[in-house]
Amino acid sequence: MTGVIDLRLGARGTNYYGSFRDFLPPDKNNGTQLDFHSAIFATGAIGEWLFTGAYNSSRSLNEDCNCDNRLFRTYQFSEQNYPVYGDSSKVDVVAPSIDSVFLRFERSARIPGSDPDYAMWGDYNTEEFARRSRFSVPLAKNLTFQAQNELSLSSQKNAIYPDRTIFGLNWAVIPGVSVSLAQQYYSSGQYSGNSITSLSVNGEHKLGSDTTLTGRYSILGGANEMTTQGAIGINNRWTIASGLRLNVAYEHVFGNFFGRTLAGQQYAQPYAFGQAASAIGFDGGDSYSVGHFLSLITEFSHSKSSVF
């Protein structure tokens, strides 16, 4: 635990440890004033829970000397790191909050392989909002059961990230080849009330130190129809000389998948203009790639398939 208690009696506009906005009062009143300020940070174990907390009585925890208050805090000019060669140190914000309080209680999950249990008051990132719970349980040496639940806390429907629950099995058949069976249930958004069943096979096999075969195949069933997706390809790296390498790759993609996003229905189109990238989907075709490496990377690609 560490903290500070500051009790000050003096003229207004002369507290050099305060914010810029406290200097030169707009009312030009520099009379004597009594100020009180406190801040504290603490971390430690409370039973099986790890507690981390912070509090500041005069400002939000993310606010800097310029009075900017942003999610996860921005580094002010006085905190910019000076580059020192060989120094691998870094700065992390342990208690981010746009409020004056940060609280977090965390414990190890009782289910092996799942994320820790926690309750927090502070800034949440996108992953923490999207992932409410997820765990993985090994059923055998090469067989794993996985479950995940995604729940939005917003009162409005989210067309991009709908609420869903996923159950799946992943079977490592042989080294480099796996088979996955998954069932998704949607409870909100464009797929509300529907479910999707998928069976996927993914594989990778090295023919040598520089050549790799890749392949994937999926069967998707949902909304009274069944679709397939897949791809097979080869990637070869040829070392011509020291520091000079040629990369050659080919991949054939078959099947397509178009959905509906917040921007509307995805459809086949040759280009995505401006901010229309959300309309991009997948369609079948052949893709070729040739590039070389020499101190920097340059690459030329040509695809006979459309960009959707």
Side-chain angles (χ1 to χ4, degrees):
M1 177 185 295
T2 183
V4 61
I5 297 178
D6 181 21
L7 183 64
R8 179 181 179 274
L9 180 64
R12 297 182 62 197
T14 60
N15 184 2
Y16 297 101
Y17 295 97
S19 302
F20 290 155
R21 65 182 176 187
D22 297 329
F23 289 86
L24 301 177
D27 57 4
K28 299 182 179 180
N29 180 7
N30 294 100
T32 302
Q33 178 175 286
L34 178 64
D35 293 323
F36 174 79
H37 164 72
S38 63
I40 188 173
F41 172 82
T43 182
I46 302 178
E48 61 179 353
W49 295 87
L50 174 64
F51 168 75
T52 303
Y55 170 75
N56 193 302
S57 64
S58 61
R59 61 174 177 83
S60 66
L61 298 177
N62 289 355
E63 185 177 313
D64 58 21
C65 62
N66 294 322
C67 302
D68 293 328
N69 184 25
R70 301 178 181 177
L71 284 173
F72 300 102
R73 184 180 174 184
T74 54
Y75 293 111
Q76 54 194 0
F77 177 77
S78 60
E79 295 178 330
Q80 297 297 322
N81 294 330
Y82 182 82
V84 178
Y85 295 103
D87 183 10
S88 60
S89 61
K90 62 179 182 178
V91 178
D92 289 326
V93 180
V94 181
S97 176
I98 57 174
D99 202 354
S100 298
V101 178
F102 176 88
L103 297 172
R104 182 181 177 99
F105 292 89
E106 179 180 329
R107 72 176 181 182
S108 299
R110 298 181 178 181
I111 301 177
S114 61
D115 294 322
D117 302 324
Y118 71 92
M120 186 176 74
W121 180 275
D123 294 350
Y124 285 82
N125 58 38
T126 304
E127 182 182 3
E128 289 171 321
F129 266 124
R131 186 192 68 223
R132 308 319 301 168
S133 60
R134 181 173 62 187
F135 67 92
S136 176
V137 179
L139 302 179
K141 185 177 180 180
N142 59 346
L143 183 63
T144 304
F145 171 78
Q146 297 176 331
Q148 178 174 325
N149 179 258
E150 298 177 358
L151 176 66
S152 173
L153 300 181
S154 174
S155 59
Q156 299 179 349
K157 292 184 178 179
N158 192 324
I160 305 297
Y161 300 104
D163 297 346
R164 63 177 180 171
T165 302
I166 308 171
F167 300 99
L169 290 171
N170 186 67
W171 176 32
V173 184
I174 58 176
V177 178
S178 63
V179 177
S180 300
L181 176 64
Q183 181 72 34
Q184 303 182 42
Y185 299 95
Y186 292 90
S187 56
S188 71
Q190 59 177 317
Y191 302 120
S192 179
N194 293 320
S195 63
I196 296 178
T197 304
S198 63
L199 177 64
S200 303
V201 180
N202 299 276
E204 180 178 293
H205 178 68
K206 283 188 171 295
L207 299 178
S209 59
D210 297 325
T211 305
T212 304
L213 284 176
T214 61
R216 61 184 185 276
Y217 183 78
S218 300
I219 301 175
L220 305 174
N224 298 322
E225 65 179 19
M226 184 173 293
T227 61
T228 60
Q229 299 175 352
I232 185 170
I234 184 171
N235 187 300
N236 183 76
R237 298 183 303 173
W238 177 33
T239 302
I240 301 175
S242 178
L244 179 60
R245 187 177 67 221
L246 178 66
N247 297 332
V248 180
Y250 165 78
E251 185 176 58
H252 175 73
V253 179
F254 50 92
N256 60 68
F257 188 77
F258 297 103
R260 184 175 181 85
T261 68
L262 195 61
Q265 178 66 41
Q266 293 178 333
Y267 59 94
Q269 55 180 317
Y271 301 100
F273 296 96
Q275 300 298 320
S278 59
I280 295 178
F282 295 95
D283 200 10
D286 298 295
S287 177
Y288 306 90
S289 178
V290 178
H292 71 273
F293 176 88
L294 176 61
S295 298
L296 52 86
I297 298 176
T298 60
E299 186 169 348
F300 169 77
S301 298
H302 169 70
S303 176
K304 295 196 300 183
S305 61
S306 301
V307 178
F308 303 128

